[in-house]
Amino acid sequence: IDLISPNQLPPPPAMPSKFRLQLRLHNDDVHTFEEVIEALHDHTRGDQFPGRETETSAGLVFDRNAADDMTHHVDSDGQVTVRAYATFAGAKAGYDRLKGRGLHCAVVSQAQVDLEF
């Protein structure tokens, strides 16, 4: 069996125009509100928000109030959409930020979201 290293994999295909992915955060009843807020918004960066989808150092939401609102929403409703993405790389960067902090999350397509409503 020939094994392929991750470096040999082709890049992900480009998404069709107007196709969007959503990053969802799921309630795990384990992490504190403050841990979730910190995963969503890095208070040490202030309210600066980079334009690139793959840049997550300042967090995934613009300001602390938005992170606080999302945390309350995920606690009461079980899940919340954190952010929409136009690229696979952006969605993976957001996913990796949340997973790296031990949170439960998923990336879903807008088509999936539409089917749910």
Side-chain angles (χ1 to χ4, degrees):
I1 297 176
D2 291 330
L3 298 177
I4 298 174
S5 76
N7 296 339
Q8 296 173 315
L9 294 174
M15 292 196 314
S17 66
K18 298 186 181 180
F19 185 83
R20 296 292 178 261
L21 296 170
Q22 292 189 8
L23 176 62
R24 282 188 184 162
L25 175 63
H26 299 276
N27 189 3
D28 62 9
D29 291 323
V30 173
H31 291 85
T32 66
F33 271 50
E34 196 58 36
E35 288 171 327
V36 175
I37 291 168
E38 287 295 316
L40 295 171
H41 174 73
D42 185 345
H43 73 281
T44 63
R45 297 281 183 146
D47 290 340
Q48 302 169 6
F49 199 71
R52 294 187 323 273
E53 285 188 338
T54 56
E55 176 55 53
T56 63
S57 64
L60 301 174
V61 297
F62 180 71
D63 64 26
R64 178 150 175 105
N65 290 334
D68 187 74
D69 290 345
M70 284 185 182
T71 302
H72 284 281
H73 186 73
V74 76
D75 183 56
S76 64
D77 297 338
Q79 67 181 16
V80 67
T81 297
V82 174
R83 191 167 171 197
Y85 292 92
T87 67
F88 288 113
K92 182 173 181 341
Y95 177 89
D96 288 346
R97 178 178 171 96
L98 296 180
K99 279 300 214 188
R101 286 159 175 81
L103 299 174
H104 296 286
C105 58
V107 174
V108 295
S109 69
Q110 183 61 48
Q112 176 63 39
V113 173
D114 293 343
L115 287 172
E116 294 172 354
F117 292 105

